[in-house]
Amino acid sequence: MEDGILRAISADGTIRAVIATTTNLVGDARRKHALSFTATAALGRALTGGALLASLASKAGQITLKFQGNGPLGKLMVDASPKGTVRGFVENPQVELPLNSLGNFDVGGAIGRTGYLHVTVDPGYGIPYTSTVELATGEVGEDLNRYLVNSEQTGSVVIVGSHLTAKGVEAAGGLIVQLLPDHCEETICRIENNVSTFGSFTFLMRRGMSLEAMLERILNGFDVRALTEVMPLRFSCKCSNERFVEALKVLPKKELVSMAQEDGQAEGRCHFCNAVYLVGKDCLLNLAQGS
Ligand SMILES: [Zn+2]
């Protein structure tokens, strides 16, 4: 099944929701970065969260999540656009931790339970703005929820998860439900009840449940209107050989010449997608002449 995202609102305008499946893009991230299981679970949740937030927060720009915790994974970053492209990386992709006491991948231990989540929203015009919250648990979902409650001053539910086996990423996805200003106490109770009976997101996915059906399930009892068609999601990076060459142009002439003569080439690796770019000797010397 292709990855997709769907946005909806309740007919009475008191709740909005966004829901996504991200199995393929999390699998892509795992292959590109040779991620451990723990790193796949952590980055997978953050990639899903980024896609969900981008869909909620920005119509034209993009959103960047930066988890800076005290755990062994180091920095974790995700970029997502409302057009359905997501990319991300962790500083130490090989880190593997024992399962936690619940038998799950120890994402909180890997990211760290102390530290910060920085969320930058670039609306596509004007100046991007960054909000920072302390990590709640390092488990990603709770941290994103804290950010939403903090920045929007309204209650929300964030579910992000993945199902990993020796075969790879078998299911990944998640949802955000956000209360809008005119909600009443009864709305909160109903949502809380729906969350407690929802079950595991990836279990429902593996049972073949569609995005629409899962949305109905989390918003059971509400008249739900889809705001969008299901839009495809994918792991996609903006890097290119041209961009790498552009980046080299800022280096001093002396350095370009020494790279050309000593290494015969310049090598660059994109943090976000791990693609390697090589620029040959002649091109380096040309750049040196141009600078
Ligand atoms: Zn890249």
Side-chain angles (χ1 to χ4, degrees):
M1 197 173 77
E2 207 182 32
D3 293 340
I5 190 161
L6 176 66
R7 212 147 49 86
I9 193 161
S10 64
D12 63 1
T14 58
I15 312 165
R16 60 177 182 165
V18 58
I19 185 164
T21 53
T22 55
T23 311
N24 299 312
L25 78 87
V26 175
D28 262 5
R30 179 171 187 249
R31 277 186 297 280
K32 285 180 196 296
H33 294 295
L35 299 171
S36 68
F37 284 105
T38 313
T40 306
L43 186 57
R45 288 183 197 176
L47 287 164
T48 303
L52 294 169
L53 280 182
S55 172
L56 276 183
S58 168
K59 285 193 174 64
Q62 70 163 32
I63 197 154
T64 301
L65 308 178
K66 186 159 81 176
F67 289 83
Q68 217 141 25
N70 64 342
L73 276 186
K75 183 171 68 177
L76 183 159
M77 270 186 86
V78 165
D79 258 0
S81 85
K83 297 187 185 78
T85 56
V86 197
R87 60 179 190 164
F89 69 92
V90 291
E91 199 172 347
N92 302 310
Q94 315 287 323
V95 166
E96 196 72 275
L97 294 183
L99 298 180
N100 64 19
S101 57
L102 299 170
N104 296 325
F105 293 110
D106 189 4
V107 171
I111 288 180
R113 297 178 210 287
T114 307
Y116 295 94
L117 164 62
H118 308 280
V119 180
T120 304
V121 179
D122 180 349
Y125 53 86
I127 302 165
Y129 53 95
T130 300
S131 315
T132 298
V133 289
E134 280 185 39
L135 294 176
T137 56
E139 295 280 343
V140 180
E142 285 93 339
D143 307 312
L144 293 174
N145 195 34
R146 177 174 277 187
Y147 157 73
L148 280 170
V149 170
N150 220 285
S151 67
E152 315 264 335
Q153 306 291 318
T154 164
S156 60
V157 175
V158 179
I159 297 175
V160 282
S162 55
H163 183 74
L164 311 177
T165 68
K167 282 188 265 178
V169 182
E170 300 212 11
L175 61 84
I176 294 177
V177 175
Q178 201 173 28
L179 294 167
L180 296 173
D182 288 335
H183 69 271
C184 57
E185 277 302 310
E186 196 194 331
T187 304
I188 299 176
C189 291
R190 202 176 278 177
I191 295 282
E192 279 174 354
N193 189 48
N194 290 351
V195 169
S196 67
T197 56
F198 186 76
S200 152
F201 192 97
T202 52
F203 177 76
L204 297 174
M205 272 183 77
R206 286 181 292 130
R207 293 276 299 271
M209 196 177 267
S210 68
L211 279 179
E212 291 87 347
M214 285 194 281
L215 192 66
E216 293 276 338
R217 188 177 172 94
I218 197 76
L219 297 180
N220 183 28
F222 296 95
D223 184 7
V224 183
R225 313 263 159 98
L227 289 174
T228 54
E229 301 270 295
V230 175
M231 186 178 73
L233 280 179
R234 65 197 163 88
F235 190 105
S236 168
C237 194
K238 291 178 279 194
C239 65
S240 66
N241 205 56
E242 290 72 32
R243 281 181 186 238
F244 179 50
V245 172
E246 278 301 310
L248 288 174
K249 282 184 183 167
V250 304
L251 295 178
K253 181 178 175 172
K254 213 171 69 184
E255 208 167 317
L256 291 167
V257 171
S258 108
M259 272 197 280
Q261 285 169 348
E262 283 164 34
D263 309 324
Q265 62 181 22
E267 185 183 311
R269 187 181 292 272
C270 173
H271 281 310
F272 276 100
C273 71
N274 224 11
V276 174
Y277 295 102
L278 293 173
V279 169
K281 188 174 179 175
D282 292 345
C283 182
L284 286 172
L285 292 174
N286 277 340
L287 285 175
Q289 257 156 18
S291 65

